[in-house]
Amino acid sequence: MATYLEFIQQNEEQDGVRFSWNVWPSSRLEATRMVVPLACLLTPLKERPDLPPVQYEPVLCSRPTCKAILNPLCQVDYRAKLWACNFCFQRNQFPPAYTGISEVNQPAELMPQFSTIEYVIQRGAQSPLIFLYVVDTCLEEDDLQALKESLQMSLSLLPPDALVGLITFGRMVQVHELSCEGISKSYVFRGTKDLTAKQIQDMLGLTKPAAPMQQARPAQPQEHAFVSSRFLQPVHKIDMNLTDLLGELQRDPWPETQGKRPLRSTGVALSIAVGLLEGTFPNTGARIMLFTGGPPTQGPGMVVGDELKTPIRSWHDIEKDNARFMKKATKHYEMLANRTAANGHCIDIYACALDQSGLLEMKSCTNLTGGHMVMGDSFNTSLFKQTFQRIFSKDFNGNFRMAFGATLEVKTSRELKIAGAIGPCVSLNVKGPCVSENELGVGGTSQWKICGLDPTLTLGIYFEVVNQHNAPIPQGGRGAIQFVTQYQHSSTQSRIRVTTIARNWADAQNQLRHIEAAFDQEASAVLMARLGVFRAESEEGPDVLRWLDRQLIRLCQKFGQYNKEDPTSFRLSDSFSLYPQFMFHLRRSPFLQVFNNSPDESSYYRHHFARQDLTQSLIMIQPILYSYSFQGPPEPVLLDSSSILADRILLMDTFFQIVIYLGETIAQWRKAGYQDMPEYENFKHLLQAPLDDAQEILQARFPMPRYVNTEHGGSQARFLLSKVPSQTHNNLYAWGQETGAPILTDDVSLQVFMDHLKKLAVSSA
Amino acid sequence: MQISGAAAPAPPPGGLGYGPPTSLASASGSFPNSGLYGSYPQGQAPPLSLAQGHPGAQPPQRFAPPQASSFTPPASGGPRMPSVTGPLLPGQGFGGPSVSQPNHVSSPPPPQALPPGTQMTGPPGPPPPMHSSQPGYQLQQNGSFGPVRGPQPNYGSPYPGAPTFGSQPGPPQPLPPKRLDPDAIPSPIQVIEDDRNNRGSEPFVTGVRGQVPPLVTTNFLVKDQGNASPRYIRCTSYNIPCTSDMAKQAQVPLAAVIKPLARLPPEEASPYVVDHGESGPLRCNRCKAYMCSFMQFIEGGRRFQCCFCSCINDVPPQYFQHLDHTGKRVDAYERPELSLGSYEFLATVDYCKNNKFPSPPAFIFMIDVSYNAIRSGLVRLLCEELKSLLDFLPREGGAEESAIRVGFVTYNKVLHFYNVKSSLAQPQMMVVSDVADMFVPLLDGFLVNVNESRTVITSLLDQIPEMFADTRETETVFAPVIQAGMEALKAAECAGKLFLFHTSLPIAEAPGKLKNRDDRKLINTDKEKTLFQPQTGAYQSLAKQCVAQGCCVDLFLFPNQYVDVATLSVVPQLTGGSVYKYACFQVESDQERFLSDLRRDVQKVVGFDAVMRVRTSTGIRAVDFFGAFFMSNTTDVELAGLDVDKTVTVEFKHDDRLNEESGALLQCALLYTSCAGQRRLRIHNLALNCCTQLADLYRNCETDTLINYMAKFAYRGVLSSPVKTVRDTLITQCAQILACYRKNCASPSSAGQLILPECMKLLPVYLNCVLKSDVLQPGAEVTTDDRAYVRQLVTSMDVAETNVFFYPRLLPLTKSPIENTTEPPAVRASEERLSNGDIYLLENGLNLFLWVGASVQQGVVQSLFSVSSFSHITSGLSVLPVLDNPLSKKVRGLIDSLRAQRSRYMKLIVVKQEDKLETLFKHFLVEDKSLSGGASYVDFLCHMHKEIRQLLS
């Protein structure tokens, strides 16, 4: 089966795609019996240093309903200069430019290694990238100072021709005009009043005068450029200006009364930012970057009142339907998010506060537009500063690792239909023959819009096999899917990336082994998890867990080997062996469990879970625990309390946190200062090893994880202890062995979970 | 002209009567068509045709023979004669040759003269007898009795008898006199001159109750000895009828014109500030009147009886003082509140809004930067001026710098606020476009101390004209601007003043948006009143909010066309602000006027967030108030701002009998925040006499004050009634006043004789001026905006202002020798007084004309205008060239001194005789018939006479 692993890996590297099943059951009925749907994780802009984009446009199938792009799977008649579309079987003429092709002279898109290929579109005006900072001024002095510095620093990271704008808010919202000499101008809005896009544009003077004077007519385009540029200016022009402006930024000057939260008009500020870009630069790449230090407390989108004695909503309040602002606020931000998405812009939220700041309500802003959501305690932390800096990191070509306004189109061969997608995207509502009626995630369409992308952004895309039960295995024996991502590259080029993949069909009745062997349990776990998390957004937590359990049990029943009613006989093949464990950890992950998490945290975790690639997603589901000891080289150990031993150093990576934990003995040694003694240099190295590894993870991860360095008995050890499953009286590993660290909780341990699973799987009831 | 000239030293025989009150006897038949007076048909020629030169000489021939004096109607002749005073006038004895008043009968009575009114027809007999009949009479009270009478310039000597009317025993009376001789009717000029001469020399001491002060036109000093100076309070009458029946009979309005913060001449001390410590000013427990010199201390000083409500109050221990043998407190003279009529108390925190001492007030300059304002150069001019003007914000006492903070806003159809915090390197502009829902975008840095933020402010003022230099925005908003200013003050928790510089009708979509509704067709219809009413109620409610915040609004208008002053001035009007209007503003010609007004307005001492309450002793009650303020209940006058020029007129009515002995008391208490932010109470007290005889009332009246009241009453009336009704009401009331006098005070005489009380002999002429003013009888060239503007101006004028406004001063410049440095004596405002060989200045407080006669000597033309002849003088010139010759210096000096006397800068207009601008000028010759149909003085007097006779019969 190693071949399948290699195949999967190669596919992921080349195409950024991982399927739950790599051999597809050939009928609808069989496919549903497989429990885990046919689905894939797609990383549309996976970094491919080895893939230079081609400088011409793709060749499209001429059938208007198809328009698939010429790819290596197409059959080509070199003599007749014809190609057959592998999706609709339409025969197409090659365009005139392809007259010279032959078997030996193939264009790149016909070569098998170019199953993924990127085209650069030369048409259309390129417009510079736009960054609109929306900055909360209701911050503590040092927080604001830190934020100002970060923002000033970011100016130096932006490409010189990028347009940048600034909106600040507190009790009021100020849109700063950046082009003025001698006096700084801003437009001020009341923070309590919801304004329509039209009103905002009128008030900002962005609409052209109703009755332009005659001489204004020829000058109109120019005027328009001038008008919009008042608020959005090329960095190289207003670098100094903006730096000064940021430098002079004051805390919100309105008096804060005792016992009240500062009045923060986040809802209006965002609405204005959206309206501003909507009116000036629709459909070009733009990032609205919201920096906020607390919950919106007034106006549309307010999340909590300004009375400090009323705390911000908790899960408990939400369950009791006690969160009085939540629905309205959520609706407000959803409306904004949808408008933003329609304009092709994205919204980032950088929320740094000790308490919640309303991410639950605002999450759609990032989730629907592909923006980033970053949560921290303070702007004055390296967590924020480095995360923010990383936004502007560049790839090997010196381009930003960001792309904008992507449209992802999926085409399938006839036996498949598209059920939906889960990820930071919105539906474009393009119905077509290949769109299924059964929705999984955001469905009912074959195209989605992803307004902000980075190379790791990954969507889960779900399919449905529609081949009828008794129909033969389709012609050619392979099913094909084409992913077409049209986007604005950070170099402002318009590009199209096309990935075409094919998989074998297999008859599930007699070729189940094949299908089973081609199961990708990691991808499946993530894909199922995405489904679960997607459901959890709208359903009660226990229902989702029950659903997950049922799916797991059914899967085990289908693919396990066992004797009925005999749990001990239960076995799973290698390709399924880890899957139950993933599900176990998923069940207790913060994505599905809200206990001990604030609503904001849950939203934050779910946000990241819905956009990270497979590896990171797996880390999120099942944190990784490495052990460092004198017993041997660092090794991964079971995520269980039994792994906590006195003579070990543990490094845990939960994606959001990196925890280094020194076992009791190690901690004592360190306290005694052995590491400083030359004769114990090996101890020094032991101490250093996890630090280095942690550093490595920190370097690569976005957002920056919380970095915790603690030891046995340290208060911060809770970060570790809360992740490892419990050790309860019936934990086998504890039996007669070194005791590890007992943690008393109601949670079941993996062992108990597995036992139950086996019992249920083999039961015939 | 007459003045300088012909004063005949001759024996003015005619003075005749001492009939104190002016009596103008006219036989009913005497006027050819008396019936016509109603319609003033006769206005035609007569008066106008008078040769200017010598009224004395020719007119008689033309018209009524002087001797016969029109007044004495020959027709019915016979009987009348008797009434006429004997030829020998007692008066003569005194006054020397020219004793008598011009034309009236009333004599310039000798000092011991008779009570006015009594003896019109003074029999030949000497005065004394009469005297006896009126024991209570006090000589000095009536100006007209001054012993010193200036020579009567008016009559030509040749006609000794001329001036006298009715009483002329003169020769052939019974001629067919068809007209009144203009010289024979009471002359304002004469009255003013007489009062100046009689009362200008000695200080007016306020110690005695019920004294009538000198006229407003007289320069006099005041010594406060227990009653408020007439600069603060003037009354229509200083002797109030004891009963309401009497008051109703007389129809003389009882009103006081109060100017609580009036500016005093340097020789007079401003009110002392008294601090009663933590317990606050001492007040009567019942009526809350403040401690004053009329409070009666009893029981050895342990208690005091309130002089207003008679309540007996305990004297708090810290205020206790022993009484002397007269029952007066020993410390009476050490305490201003016990010895003076006007003083101030320091207010305690109880007198402050929200029980918090106020912060210093703020000034916010709000500048229209729409196309019109930029193009006219206004914005540039204003910004330049503000840079230096900000150094002259009002200061309190010896303070080194003003406590007042300033803020800046510019606007067109959106508003721009400026952050000029001292720590900023450059000003910040904040645009608020949400005019529908105005708010203040910043707190810190909007209102700043001028000295701290000087560099930022200067930089801002430099940039404003540049920033908007290319503006194309023509639309403006208005209500949101005021709203913004008010909100800013609210946010800063202080009172203050907005200076609005506005150019156009606010037609941009916003609250308070206005339409052009000017419609001249409405004039003289029942709907005319709508022109004076605001077109939307939005401004009233806005004003109300402003008042609550202590936000006073001063509005400077620079309209090129109709801007609806009636609506725009609502807020300034209700907040105690001022409106200035510069139609078709152009920097070159109007800058001096605007800047001068602006400087004065900014530097003016102002009180903020004020409440004025007028308390009276039992028996009368303040019932009505006129002026620029807001009232939310019936007693408290709320003034967001009150400056030194603002006047409130208060009308009183009886609600009980008054007592002759105790008189009537007024106490005006003004609670305000000074410009340094100190909360104070200014108290003015005034004691009046009460009378049971109507004659006492008529003898102690003040016509100028009466006119002030009547004008304000009428000007308010036009808001609710047709203008015609308002005019008729005035005429009727005036007739009733005079008829009552005639019936009750003047001794019996022929019904055909017009007899005027001495103190009111100018009432007809002044009233006529009010009736023909632009508001009540607009000429064709007067715009609706002008009328609304004048209407609101008059509402807060004081007596001196209304006096000159309605009866302009006309000063001949070339009559008196150049060396003579005093102001030349005025002449009557009539064209027939102009001589074409002379130059005249005319001013009414708002306008200033220099009229040049067609045959003025060339030398004079040369030395004033630096041109060779009359025809080279530019008509409409607004500045006289600065020339180094005595005449030029004198005239320019005179112009400067006139301007200095007025609260607004008067722009000079040079008018040449027979030029088209002359129409404009003639509009101000108020004794003449006006083009818009206003009656001449003579005609009006006749009409008045007829009305009176009707009432009497």
Side-chain angles (χ1 to χ4, degrees), chain B residues 707 710-711 714-715 730 766-773 776 806:
Chain B
I707 287 295
M710 293 174 101
Y715 278 20
L730 278 190
Y766 284 167
L767 184 71
N768 188 34
C769 296
V770 173
L771 291 174
K772 56 205 263 193
S773 62
L776 297 183
F806 287 112

Side-chain angles (χ1 to χ4, degrees), chain B residues 482-538:
Chain B
I482 296 177
Q483 175 99 28
M486 190 263 295
E487 299 282 352
L489 295 179
K490 193 188 267 178
E493 296 179 331
C494 67
K497 192 156 156 178
L498 313 182
F499 295 83
L500 245 77
F501 304 89
H502 190 80
T503 57
S504 56
L505 194 67
I507 52 167
E509 201 51 61
K513 169 183 173 178
L514 300 181
K515 354 185 238 299
N516 187 339
R517 48 131 190 199
D518 188 14
D519 186 1
R520 293 192 66 88
K521 288 201 284 292
L522 296 182
I523 293 174
N524 286 326
T525 68
D526 282 356
K527 284 195 177 151
E528 184 171 0
K529 61 187 178 201
T530 58
L531 295 179
F532 296 109
Q533 295 164 344
Q535 56 172 293
T536 147

Side-chain angles (χ1 to χ4, degrees), chain B residues 369-659:
Chain B
V369 290
S370 65
Y371 179 69
N372 282 334
I374 296 290
R375 196 195 47 179
S376 66
L378 166 67
V379 174
R380 191 170 292 276
L381 176 72
L382 176 60
C383 289
E384 204 48 47
E385 176 63 22
L386 282 181
K387 281 191 232 167
S388 48
L389 188 54
L390 292 178
D391 288 329
F392 298 98
L393 300 179
R395 277 177 286 186
E396 188 135 78
E400 243 174 52
E401 61 170 35
S402 173
I404 290 174
R405 290 172 297 161
V406 296
F408 302 89
V409 171
T410 58
Y411 66 93
N412 37 47
K413 67 181 195 188
V414 300
L415 275 77
H416 320 110
F417 293 76
Y418 295 93
N419 184 348
V420 283
K421 204 169 155 175
S422 55
S423 59
L424 292 176
Q426 57 181 33
Q428 290 176 349
M429 171 191 198
M430 300 179 144
V431 185
V432 173
S433 342
D434 190 0
V435 287
D437 193 7
M438 194 30 74
F439 62 97
V440 195
L442 77 171
L443 185 61
D444 196 21
F446 179 61
L447 296 177
V448 296
N449 174 297
V450 175
N451 285 331
E452 282 170 15
S453 293
R454 178 168 310 274
T455 43
V456 192
I457 291 177
T458 308
S459 145
L460 172 66
L461 292 172
D462 281 338
Q463 287 187 57
I464 287 177
E466 306 304 328
M467 268 191 298
F468 299 100
D470 302 322
T471 187
R472 289 234 196 96
E473 188 56 70
T474 52
E475 293 187 1
T476 54
V477 294
F478 189 73
V481 184
I482 296 177
Q483 175 99 28
M486 190 263 295
E487 299 282 352
L489 295 179
K490 193 188 267 178
E493 296 179 331
C494 67
K497 192 156 156 178
L498 313 182
F499 295 83
L500 245 77
F501 304 89
H502 190 80
T503 57
S504 56
L505 194 67
I507 52 167
E509 201 51 61
K513 169 183 173 178
L514 300 181
K515 354 185 238 299
N516 187 339
R517 48 131 190 199
D518 188 14
D519 186 1
R520 293 192 66 88
K521 288 201 284 292
L522 296 182
I523 293 174
N524 286 326
T525 68
D526 282 356
K527 284 195 177 151
E528 184 171 0
K529 61 187 178 201
T530 58
L531 295 179
F532 296 109
Q533 295 164 344
Q535 56 172 293
T536 147
Y539 288 94
Q540 266 116 331
S541 49
L542 180 60
K544 211 165 151 183
Q545 298 174 42
C546 287
V547 172
Q549 185 50 46
C551 167
C552 168
V553 179
D554 277 0
L555 175 60
F556 293 79
L557 284 169
F558 307 86
N560 287 335
Q561 53 199 3
Y562 180 72
V563 289
D564 200 346
V565 174
T567 310
L568 296 191
S569 64
V570 166
V571 179
Q573 173 80 32
L574 293 180
T575 58
S578 313
V579 180
Y580 298 83
K581 182 159 131 337
Y582 309 91
C584 301
F585 180 81
Q586 288 194 321
V587 167
E588 308 76 49
S589 50
D590 297 309
Q591 97 177 58
E592 203 181 339
R593 173 166 162 239
F594 163 57
L595 292 183
S596 161
D597 283 347
L598 176 65
R599 284 174 200 143
R600 204 188 287 238
D601 196 64
V602 169
Q603 296 174 25
K604 247 186 221 180
V605 170
V606 203
F608 292 99
D609 206 2
V611 181
M612 186 177 108
R613 176 85 178 253
V614 180
R615 291 187 174 78
T616 49
S617 53
T618 326
I620 52 169
R621 193 160 44 88
V623 290
D624 207 351
F625 302 84
F626 303 83
F629 54 74
F630 176 79
M631 291 187 77
S632 53
N633 56 35
T634 53
T635 52
D636 293 338
V637 176
E638 296 173 38
L639 300 126
L642 175 67
D643 63 44
V644 291
D645 296 323
K646 290 288 178 306
T647 311
V648 175
T649 296
V650 185
E651 190 190 359
F652 302 96
K653 286 253 160 69
H654 285 78
D655 57 5
D656 203 351
R657 248 190 97 79
L658 290 168
N659 185 332

